[in-house]
Amino acid sequence: MRMGIVLGASQLASKRHLDAATEQNLVEQCRRRNLEAFGRIVDAYQSRVHGFVRRMVPDHEEALDVTQEVFVKAFQGFERFDGRSSLRTWLFRIAYNLSVDRSRRRQRQEPEVRLDAFAGEEEAIEVPDVRWNPEAIVIDDELRSIISDAVDGLSDKLRTVLLLHDAEDLAYEEIAEMVQIPVGTVKSRLFLARSTLQSAVRAYMGSRT
Amino acid sequence: MSETKRTNDNLDAALAKTEHVREWVRSMEAEEPSLAWRSALNERLIASTPRRRPLFDWKWASGLAAGAAMAALAFALYIPRPGPEPAASAYALEEAMLASYQQSSSAVTLGQSRLQPEASNGQSLEIEWTEADLGS
Protein backbone atom coordinates (compact mmCIF):
# COMPACT_ATOMS: atom_id res chain seq x y z
CA MET A 1 0.00 0.00 0.00
CA ARG A 2 1.37 3.40 -0.96
CA MET A 3 1.74 6.21 1.49
CA GLY A 4 -0.97 8.82 1.60
CA ILE A 5 -4.67 8.68 1.04
CA VAL A 6 -5.56 5.95 -1.41
CA LEU A 7 -9.03 5.85 -2.85
CA GLY A 8 -10.65 4.21 -5.86
CA ALA A 9 -11.05 6.39 -8.93
CA SER A 10 -14.82 6.15 -8.94
CA GLN A 11 -14.97 7.11 -5.25
CA LEU A 12 -12.94 10.23 -5.91
CA ALA A 13 -14.94 11.16 -8.97
CA SER A 14 -18.17 11.08 -7.03
CA LYS A 15 -16.62 12.83 -4.06
CA ARG A 16 -15.58 15.94 -5.95
CA HIS A 17 -17.85 15.92 -8.96
CA LEU A 18 -18.77 19.33 -10.30
CA ASP A 19 -22.20 19.71 -11.86
CA ALA A 20 -22.33 21.32 -15.31
CA ALA A 21 -23.63 24.69 -14.12
CA THR A 22 -21.03 25.00 -11.37
CA GLU A 23 -18.27 23.99 -13.73
CA GLN A 24 -19.39 26.52 -16.35
CA ASN A 25 -19.43 29.22 -13.70
CA LEU A 26 -15.92 28.26 -12.57
CA VAL A 27 -14.69 28.25 -16.16
CA GLU A 28 -15.94 31.81 -16.64
CA GLN A 29 -14.15 32.91 -13.48
CA CYS A 30 -10.97 31.11 -14.51
CA ARG A 31 -10.98 32.99 -17.81
CA ARG A 32 -10.71 36.11 -15.66
CA ARG A 33 -7.77 34.52 -13.88
CA ASN A 34 -9.59 33.84 -10.65
CA LEU A 35 -7.18 31.66 -8.71
CA GLU A 36 -9.76 30.60 -6.16
CA ALA A 37 -12.13 29.29 -8.84
CA PHE A 38 -9.26 27.46 -10.48
CA GLY A 39 -8.46 25.90 -7.11
CA ARG A 40 -11.90 24.28 -7.13
CA ILE A 41 -11.24 22.85 -10.56
CA VAL A 42 -7.94 21.47 -9.31
CA ASP A 43 -9.77 19.89 -6.38
CA ALA A 44 -12.20 18.23 -8.76
CA TYR A 45 -9.68 16.91 -11.26
CA GLN A 46 -6.30 16.54 -9.57
CA SER A 47 -6.81 12.90 -8.64
CA ARG A 48 -7.99 11.82 -12.09
CA VAL A 49 -5.36 13.79 -13.96
CA HIS A 50 -2.68 12.45 -11.65
CA GLY A 51 -4.04 8.93 -12.06
CA PHE A 52 -3.61 9.24 -15.82
CA VAL A 53 -0.20 10.91 -15.70
CA ARG A 54 1.10 8.42 -13.15
CA ARG A 55 0.34 5.59 -15.58
CA MET A 56 1.97 7.44 -18.45
CA VAL A 57 5.09 8.64 -16.61
CA PRO A 58 6.70 5.77 -14.71
CA ASP A 59 8.74 7.86 -12.27
CA HIS A 60 6.60 8.79 -9.27
CA GLU A 61 8.17 12.20 -8.59
CA GLU A 62 8.20 13.07 -12.26
CA ALA A 63 4.52 12.16 -12.52
CA LEU A 64 3.69 14.52 -9.66
CA ASP A 65 5.67 17.26 -11.36
CA VAL A 66 3.92 16.68 -14.69
CA THR A 67 0.53 16.79 -12.96
CA GLN A 68 1.40 20.18 -11.50
CA GLU A 69 2.54 21.33 -14.90
CA VAL A 70 -0.81 20.30 -16.38
CA PHE A 71 -2.67 22.63 -14.04
CA VAL A 72 -0.17 25.46 -14.40
CA LYS A 73 -0.46 25.29 -18.19
CA ALA A 74 -4.24 25.10 -17.95
CA PHE A 75 -4.37 28.18 -15.72
CA GLN A 76 -1.99 30.13 -17.94
CA GLY A 77 -3.89 29.23 -21.10
CA PHE A 78 -7.45 29.33 -19.84
CA GLU A 79 -8.41 32.12 -22.24
CA ARG A 80 -7.64 29.68 -25.07
CA PHE A 81 -10.18 27.17 -23.74
CA ASP A 82 -13.07 27.80 -26.13
CA GLY A 83 -15.53 25.34 -24.60
CA ARG A 84 -15.91 23.23 -27.76
CA SER A 85 -14.67 20.23 -25.80
CA SER A 86 -15.44 19.58 -22.16
CA LEU A 87 -13.12 20.90 -19.49
CA ARG A 88 -12.21 17.33 -18.59
CA THR A 89 -11.23 16.54 -22.20
CA TRP A 90 -9.19 19.73 -22.40
CA LEU A 91 -7.32 18.93 -19.18
CA PHE A 92 -6.61 15.38 -20.34
CA ARG A 93 -5.37 16.68 -23.68
CA ILE A 94 -2.83 18.84 -21.84
CA ALA A 95 -1.93 15.89 -19.61
CA TYR A 96 -1.51 13.64 -22.63
CA ASN A 97 0.70 16.13 -24.49
CA LEU A 98 2.93 16.74 -21.48
CA SER A 99 3.20 13.01 -20.76
CA VAL A 100 4.15 12.33 -24.37
CA ASP A 101 6.79 15.06 -24.19
CA ARG A 102 8.32 13.40 -21.16
CA SER A 103 8.06 10.05 -22.82
CA ARG A 104 9.87 11.32 -25.91
CA ARG A 105 12.62 12.60 -23.71
CA ARG A 106 13.09 9.12 -22.39
CA GLN A 107 13.27 7.98 -25.99
CA ARG A 108 11.17 4.92 -25.51
CA GLN A 109 10.60 3.51 -28.95
CA GLU A 110 7.50 1.38 -29.37
CA PRO A 111 6.54 -0.61 -32.48
CA GLU A 112 3.61 0.82 -34.45
CA VAL A 113 0.34 -1.06 -33.87
CA ARG A 114 -1.31 -2.21 -37.07
CA LEU A 115 -5.02 -2.77 -37.53
CA ASP A 116 -4.47 -6.44 -38.27
CA ALA A 117 -2.18 -6.93 -35.30
CA PHE A 118 -4.98 -8.20 -33.07
CA ALA A 119 -6.46 -10.67 -35.57
CA GLY A 120 -4.86 -13.69 -33.93
CA GLU A 121 -5.41 -12.28 -30.46
CA GLU A 122 -9.18 -12.33 -30.85
CA GLU A 123 -9.18 -15.99 -31.81
CA ALA A 124 -7.03 -16.84 -28.83
CA ILE A 125 -9.58 -15.28 -26.48
CA GLU A 126 -12.44 -16.99 -28.24
CA VAL A 127 -11.24 -20.44 -27.17
CA PRO A 128 -14.20 -22.01 -25.32
CA ASP A 129 -13.46 -22.43 -21.64
CA VAL A 130 -16.31 -23.00 -19.21
CA ARG A 131 -14.14 -21.94 -16.27
CA TRP A 132 -13.31 -18.58 -17.88
CA ASN A 133 -16.03 -16.13 -16.98
CA PRO A 134 -14.40 -12.69 -16.81
CA GLU A 135 -17.59 -10.89 -15.74
CA ALA A 136 -17.76 -13.03 -12.61
CA ILE A 137 -14.19 -12.37 -11.47
CA VAL A 138 -13.98 -10.80 -8.06
CA ILE A 139 -11.25 -8.18 -8.04
CA ASP A 140 -9.19 -8.48 -4.90
CA ASP A 141 -5.97 -6.67 -4.03
CA GLU A 142 -3.82 -9.30 -5.69
CA LEU A 143 -5.76 -9.23 -8.94
CA ARG A 144 -5.80 -5.44 -8.82
CA SER A 145 -2.03 -5.53 -8.65
CA ILE A 146 -1.92 -7.91 -11.64
CA ILE A 147 -4.12 -5.54 -13.65
CA SER A 148 -2.04 -2.56 -12.63
CA ASP A 149 1.19 -4.27 -13.69
CA ALA A 150 -0.38 -5.31 -16.99
CA VAL A 151 -1.46 -1.72 -17.68
CA ASP A 152 2.01 -0.43 -16.81
CA GLY A 153 3.49 -3.01 -19.17
CA LEU A 154 1.49 -1.79 -22.16
CA SER A 155 3.08 0.43 -24.75
CA ASP A 156 2.39 4.16 -24.38
CA LYS A 157 0.06 4.08 -27.36
CA LEU A 158 -2.10 1.25 -26.03
CA ARG A 159 -2.04 2.56 -22.48
CA THR A 160 -3.13 6.03 -23.56
CA VAL A 161 -6.20 4.78 -25.36
CA LEU A 162 -7.10 2.29 -22.64
CA LEU A 163 -6.91 4.86 -19.84
CA LEU A 164 -8.67 7.65 -21.74
CA HIS A 165 -11.50 5.40 -22.85
CA ASP A 166 -11.99 2.92 -20.05
CA ALA A 167 -10.91 4.99 -17.04
CA GLU A 168 -11.96 8.47 -18.19
CA ASP A 169 -14.91 7.69 -20.47
CA LEU A 170 -13.65 9.79 -23.35
CA ALA A 171 -15.35 9.05 -26.68
CA TYR A 172 -13.46 7.42 -29.54
CA GLU A 173 -13.67 10.65 -31.51
CA GLU A 174 -12.26 12.72 -28.64
CA ILE A 175 -9.35 10.34 -28.24
CA ALA A 176 -8.75 10.27 -32.00
CA GLU A 177 -8.57 14.07 -32.09
CA MET A 178 -6.35 14.19 -29.02
CA VAL A 179 -3.88 11.54 -30.16
CA GLN A 180 -4.27 12.52 -33.83
CA ILE A 181 -5.03 9.07 -35.17
CA PRO A 182 -8.10 7.69 -37.00
CA VAL A 183 -11.05 6.45 -34.95
CA GLY A 184 -10.47 2.95 -36.29
CA THR A 185 -6.95 2.98 -34.89
CA VAL A 186 -8.31 4.09 -31.51
CA LYS A 187 -10.63 1.10 -31.50
CA SER A 188 -7.95 -1.35 -32.57
CA ARG A 189 -5.54 -0.07 -29.93
CA LEU A 190 -8.26 -0.29 -27.30
CA PHE A 191 -9.06 -3.83 -28.26
CA LEU A 192 -5.41 -4.83 -28.24
CA ALA A 193 -4.91 -3.26 -24.82
CA ARG A 194 -7.97 -5.00 -23.42
CA SER A 195 -6.84 -8.30 -24.92
CA THR A 196 -3.46 -7.93 -23.25
CA LEU A 197 -5.13 -7.30 -19.91
CA GLN A 198 -7.40 -10.29 -20.39
CA SER A 199 -4.41 -12.47 -21.15
CA ALA A 200 -2.68 -11.32 -17.98
CA VAL A 201 -5.75 -11.91 -15.82
CA ARG A 202 -6.42 -15.23 -17.44
CA ALA A 203 -2.86 -16.37 -16.81
CA TYR A 204 -3.17 -15.29 -13.19
CA MET A 205 -6.51 -17.08 -12.74
CA GLY A 206 -5.06 -20.19 -14.35
CA SER A 207 -2.12 -20.16 -11.97
CA ARG A 208 -4.46 -19.84 -8.95
CA THR A 209 -6.62 -22.90 -9.78
CA MET B 1 -19.99 -3.62 -47.66
CA SER B 2 -16.54 -2.11 -47.85
CA GLU B 3 -13.50 -3.64 -46.19
CA THR B 4 -13.15 -0.70 -43.83
CA LYS B 5 -16.77 -0.92 -42.74
CA ARG B 6 -16.44 -4.64 -42.11
CA THR B 7 -13.28 -4.13 -40.09
CA ASN B 8 -15.00 -1.40 -38.09
CA ASP B 9 -18.01 -3.61 -37.36
CA ASN B 10 -15.72 -6.44 -36.30
CA LEU B 11 -13.88 -4.09 -34.00
CA ASP B 12 -17.11 -2.86 -32.44
CA ALA B 13 -18.22 -6.44 -31.85
CA ALA B 14 -14.85 -7.37 -30.37
CA LEU B 15 -14.87 -4.35 -28.10
CA ALA B 16 -18.37 -5.18 -26.89
CA LYS B 17 -17.11 -8.60 -25.84
CA THR B 18 -14.29 -7.07 -23.80
CA GLU B 19 -16.40 -4.41 -22.10
CA HIS B 20 -15.80 -6.03 -18.68
CA VAL B 21 -12.14 -4.92 -18.86
CA ARG B 22 -13.39 -1.37 -18.29
CA GLU B 23 -14.33 -2.37 -14.73
CA TRP B 24 -10.90 -3.88 -14.20
CA VAL B 25 -9.22 -0.67 -15.32
CA ARG B 26 -11.44 1.38 -13.03
CA SER B 27 -10.63 -0.85 -10.11
CA MET B 28 -7.00 0.30 -10.15
CA GLU B 29 -5.96 2.35 -7.18
CA ALA B 30 -5.90 6.09 -7.59
CA GLU B 31 -3.46 8.02 -5.51
CA GLU B 32 -4.51 11.39 -4.24
CA PRO B 33 -1.69 13.95 -4.44
CA SER B 34 -0.55 15.11 -1.01
CA LEU B 35 -1.29 18.45 0.62
CA ALA B 36 2.38 19.38 0.19
CA TRP B 37 1.98 18.76 -3.54
CA ARG B 38 -1.09 20.96 -3.58
CA SER B 39 0.70 23.69 -1.67
CA ALA B 40 3.59 23.59 -4.16
CA LEU B 41 1.07 23.78 -7.01
CA ASN B 42 -0.51 26.86 -5.46
CA GLU B 43 2.89 28.53 -5.30
CA ARG B 44 3.51 27.74 -8.96
CA LEU B 45 0.09 29.08 -9.90
CA ILE B 46 0.64 32.32 -7.99
CA ALA B 47 4.09 32.70 -9.55
CA SER B 48 2.61 32.17 -13.00
CA THR B 49 -0.05 34.84 -12.53
CA PRO B 50 1.00 38.03 -14.33
CA ARG B 51 1.14 40.83 -11.78
CA ARG B 52 -0.56 44.08 -12.70
CA ARG B 53 1.65 47.18 -12.75
CA PRO B 54 0.58 49.52 -9.92
CA LEU B 55 -0.92 52.82 -10.94
CA PHE B 56 1.89 54.67 -9.17
CA ASP B 57 5.29 53.02 -9.44
CA TRP B 58 7.74 54.57 -6.99
CA LYS B 59 10.77 53.32 -8.91
CA TRP B 60 9.66 54.89 -12.15
CA ALA B 61 8.42 58.07 -10.47
CA SER B 62 11.65 58.66 -8.53
CA GLY B 63 13.73 58.15 -11.67
CA LEU B 64 11.55 60.55 -13.57
CA ALA B 65 11.81 63.17 -10.80
CA ALA B 66 15.60 62.86 -10.63
CA GLY B 67 15.85 63.29 -14.39
CA ALA B 68 13.64 66.34 -14.34
CA ALA B 69 15.68 67.91 -11.54
CA MET B 70 18.93 67.38 -13.44
CA ALA B 71 17.45 68.87 -16.60
CA ALA B 72 16.29 71.93 -14.68
CA LEU B 73 19.74 72.34 -13.12
CA ALA B 74 21.46 72.07 -16.48
CA PHE B 75 19.09 74.63 -17.92
CA ALA B 76 19.76 77.02 -15.06
CA LEU B 77 23.55 76.67 -15.36
CA TYR B 78 24.20 76.53 -19.07
CA ILE B 79 21.47 78.43 -20.83
CA PRO B 80 22.40 82.21 -20.93
CA ARG B 81 19.84 84.25 -19.21
CA PRO B 82 18.97 87.45 -21.13
CA GLY B 83 19.76 90.57 -19.08
CA PRO B 84 17.57 93.64 -18.74
CA GLU B 85 17.09 95.61 -21.94
CA PRO B 86 19.20 98.73 -21.87
CA ALA B 87 17.30 101.94 -21.99
CA ALA B 88 17.00 103.67 -25.35
CA SER B 89 18.85 106.70 -24.06
CA ALA B 90 21.83 104.56 -23.06
CA TYR B 91 22.09 103.23 -26.57
CA ALA B 92 21.97 106.74 -28.01
CA LEU B 93 24.73 107.95 -25.67
CA GLU B 94 26.91 104.99 -26.59
CA GLU B 95 26.38 105.61 -30.29
CA ALA B 96 27.16 109.28 -29.91
CA MET B 97 30.34 108.56 -27.97
CA LEU B 98 31.40 106.00 -30.54
CA ALA B 99 30.74 108.34 -33.43
CA SER B 100 32.74 111.05 -31.74
CA TYR B 101 35.64 108.71 -31.17
CA GLN B 102 35.59 107.45 -34.76
CA GLN B 103 35.46 110.97 -36.10
CA SER B 104 38.39 112.15 -34.04
CA SER B 105 40.47 109.12 -34.86
CA SER B 106 39.74 109.65 -38.56
CA ALA B 107 40.79 113.22 -38.26
CA VAL B 108 44.10 112.24 -36.70
CA THR B 109 44.62 109.69 -39.43
CA LEU B 110 44.01 112.24 -42.12
CA GLY B 111 46.48 114.65 -40.57
CA GLN B 112 44.10 117.32 -39.44
CA SER B 113 45.56 119.42 -36.71
CA ARG B 114 42.41 120.18 -34.98
CA LEU B 115 38.92 119.10 -34.51
CA GLN B 116 36.43 120.51 -36.93
CA PRO B 117 32.98 119.89 -35.72
CA GLU B 118 30.40 119.66 -38.47
CA ALA B 119 27.58 121.98 -38.54
CA SER B 120 24.15 120.55 -38.72
CA ASN B 121 23.73 121.82 -42.28
CA GLY B 122 26.84 119.97 -43.52
CA GLN B 123 29.12 123.03 -43.79
CA SER B 124 32.36 123.21 -41.92
CA LEU B 125 32.18 125.16 -38.76
CA GLU B 126 35.20 127.18 -37.97
CA ILE B 127 35.95 127.55 -34.32
CA GLU B 128 38.12 130.29 -33.15
CA TRP B 129 40.18 128.95 -30.26
CA THR B 130 41.36 131.40 -27.65
CA GLU B 131 44.52 131.20 -25.56
CA ALA B 132 42.44 130.21 -22.66
CA ASP B 133 40.99 127.32 -24.59
CA LEU B 134 44.41 126.10 -25.50
CA GLY B 135 45.61 126.40 -21.91
CA SER B 136 48.59 128.55 -22.76
Side-chain angles (χ1 to χ4, degrees):
Chain A
M1 179 77 77
R2 289 187 178 85
M3 293 294 288
I5 305 162
V6 179
L7 294 169
S10 56
Q11 285 174 286
L12 280 166
S14 60
K15 183 184 166 192
R16 287 175 175 171
H17 178 74
L18 294 173
D19 61 71
T22 307
E23 186 169 296
Q24 184 58 36
N25 184 31
L26 291 174
V27 164
E28 292 303 322
Q29 291 180 60
C30 287
R31 286 202 177 103
R32 296 192 293 269
R33 293 207 168 261
N34 185 326
L35 198 54
E36 194 179 332
F38 188 74
R40 289 189 62 195
I41 286 176
V42 174
D43 287 341
Y45 287 102
Q46 64 177 20
S47 176
R48 298 174 70 175
V49 170
H50 177 59
F52 174 74
V53 172
R54 190 169 66 93
R55 297 282 171 195
M56 298 300 294
V57 180
D59 183 76
H60 181 68
E61 290 302 317
E62 197 178 1
L64 285 168
D65 185 53
V66 171
T67 309
Q68 281 191 353
E69 209 175 328
V70 170
F71 288 109
V72 171
K73 286 227 181 290
F75 187 61
Q76 286 174 334
F78 224 105
E79 61 270 21
R80 289 196 296 275
F81 173 60
D82 53 12
R84 280 188 298 175
S85 62
S86 68
L87 177 63
R88 180 188 56 149
T89 305
W90 185 64
L91 287 173
F92 275 98
R93 184 177 299 147
I94 298 171
Y96 167 73
N97 289 333
L98 289 175
S99 299
V100 166
D101 281 349
R102 295 287 175 126
S103 186
R104 280 181 185 150
R105 282 185 212 169
R106 291 193 304 274
Q107 293 289 312
R108 269 173 54 178
Q109 297 295 326
E110 301 290 347
E112 183 64 37
V113 178
R114 293 171 55 83
L115 266 173
D116 55 357
F118 61 89
E121 197 80 33
E122 187 179 0
E123 286 171 17
I125 295 163
E126 290 297 317
V127 173
D129 184 351
V130 290
R131 294 170 300 176
W132 175 245
N133 184 11
E135 283 85 0
I137 292 174
V138 178
I139 303 169
D140 56 15
D141 285 346
E142 200 173 345
L143 183 55
R144 196 174 287 121
S145 173
I146 295 293
I147 294 167
S148 180
D149 289 348
V151 169
D152 290 346
L154 292 171
S155 69
D156 285 352
K157 289 171 181 174
L158 298 188
R159 199 184 316 117
T160 300
V161 173
L162 181 78
L163 293 173
L164 292 176
H165 186 272
D166 283 358
E168 299 305 329
D169 279 334
L170 263 62
Y172 296 129
E173 290 76 15
E174 286 179 309
I175 299 168
E177 190 193 336
M178 191 185 295
V179 185
Q180 295 184 328
I181 53 174
V183 171
T185 309
V186 173
K187 290 179 179 178
S188 68
R189 285 183 184 180
L190 178 62
F191 179 73
L192 196 56
R194 283 179 173 180
S195 299
T196 307
L197 251 66
Q198 280 207 135
S199 298
V201 171
R202 196 171 186 178
Y204 167 73
M205 299 301 283
S207 69
R208 246 186 5 182
T209 54
Chain B
M1 186 186 289
S2 69
E3 187 65 28
T4 310
K5 176 86 167 61
R6 195 160 47 238
T7 307
N8 201 38
D9 288 348
N10 289 345
L11 270 172
D12 287 338
L15 286 168
K17 285 179 188 170
T18 55
E19 193 59 30
H20 54 271
V21 177
R22 188 192 287 259
E23 291 307 310
W24 297 355
V25 173
R26 290 182 180 197
S27 74
M28 290 191 300
E29 290 172 346
E31 185 183 347
E32 183 85 348
S34 66
L35 289 174
W37 174 90
R38 181 58 198 275
S39 176
L41 172 63
N42 283 344
E43 284 176 19
R44 284 179 74 172
L45 289 171
I46 290 166
S48 75
T49 308
R51 280 188 288 182
R52 286 181 187 167
R53 178 173 285 182
L55 290 175
F56 188 78
D57 191 333
W58 281 104
K59 204 164 76 175
W60 281 96
S62 57
L64 198 64
M70 289 187 71
L73 188 64
F75 184 78
L77 288 176
Y78 297 110
I79 303 297
R81 194 180 302 172
E85 282 287 322
S89 59
Y91 278 119
L93 179 62
E94 277 180 13
E95 282 173 3
M97 288 176 74
L98 190 63
S100 173
Y101 167 76
Q102 284 172 340
Q103 190 180 13
S104 67
S105 65
S106 300
V108 169
T109 307
L110 293 172
Q112 291 183 350
S113 57
R114 54 183 181 167
L115 293 170
Q116 288 185 322
E118 270 188 17
S120 57
N121 57 4
Q123 293 177 345
S124 177
L125 185 66
E126 285 292 326
I127 300 173
E128 293 296 322
W129 299 100
T130 62
E131 293 292 325
D133 294 327
L134 300 172
S136 58

